[in-house]
Amino acid sequence: MSFDALVFDPRDVDLARSPLAGKVDAETYVLGAFNPGLTRLSNGNLLLMVRVAEALRTPIRDGHIHAIRWDDGRYALDQWPLNFVDTADPRKFMMREAGWKVMALTSLSWLLPVELSADGTQVETVHYDRAIAPRAPYQCYGVEDARISKVGDRWLMTTCSVSPERHSTTLYTSDNALDWQLEGIVLDHQNKDMLVFEGLVGGKYWAQTRPLGDLYFAYPPGSEWRAGPSINLASSPDALHWKPYDKPGIRPHAATMATARMGGGAPPILTDKGWLTLWHGVEPLGVVGIYRTYWSLLDRDDPGVVLHTSHDPLIEPRAALTDPLKELMYLDNVVFTTGIADAGDHYVVASGEADLACRITHLGKAAFNRG
């Protein structure tokens, strides 16, 4: 790795220019500026679409915990009695005795476009005037984790939209990757980490998806696969209406616990060997687990055929990167890759580090020769 550093963190966000500024009746701060979508602009520079998690400075007061909710252009503060919630995970709180898992967030997320130099090593411009905030009831708890793909002359951006109605994937489109049009919901409840392939396959749009749930059926004894969340596939004639693919995609392997849980990372890009896809694997540990980045190569004509998967991590969490931010940290052992851009003899890879900051890593293309 010739370059591997944090390029944007909570200290770089000017909350006076936040979409929430002056609209929340409480002091807020930046919990994290992380999990950035990545694409190359027409001027040659790179663009990060940074998730800014804006949280209440004092969420607990007067025997209640509070959360921010968008409400038709304004922002409301909701409250729950402390004896009704579990606050073990700093990113959220769980409702006790709800009958099933019900949670709320300690922050509301919006998206901030940050323009980087062509090599991704320095910030050129922060486009506060083009920030993306909730606009619909299905986004009332925030817009999260953008992934950007350029297909032809158009940019497609998937995001996770959060609300009590559903936890869905929404699509934005753009002609320049700076001005975005909300197209609406494209995947329903708890189907997230949607990554649109950067190119058509058989004349159709293709995407990786990751449905979640609490129940999975066991593979037969001795199977090479482990039951659990997997990276699935879907295709579409228009990027709006998606049909799940019959074949499985990338599945957890029984030989390792490091990828017992997995999900999509960077949108697949086409190489001379097939579709290169970077994804995250989660090894169970503590509340959150250890997140690492892995890669696979998919057949160019049938992405349901996995040509190669690396069981060795490509990118791992690096405590040295976040040492200067120790006073801001609330998680560790997490790297969450969200974008990739071609840079000639290497790739520029964008990740969220520790759910806190944006990390840029240069990876030589030789790292993928094993495929």
Side-chain angles (χ1 to χ4, degrees), residues 81 159 187 194 206 215 225 278 301 322 342 362:
T159 65
L187 292 182
M194 183 185 192
W206 278 72
L215 175 66
W225 308 116
L278 275 55
D301 298 317
T322 51
D342 198 323
H362 290 184

Side-chain angles (χ1 to χ4, degrees), residues 7 13-14 17 40 57-58 64 92 120 207 209 221 229 231 273 282 322 348:
V7 298
V13 180
D14 182 2
R17 305 177 71 181
R40 194 171 294 281
R57 175 69 69 183
T58 309
H64 290 75
K92 60 191 179 185
T209 68
I231 301 171
K273 296 182 179 181
V282 186
T322 51
V348 179

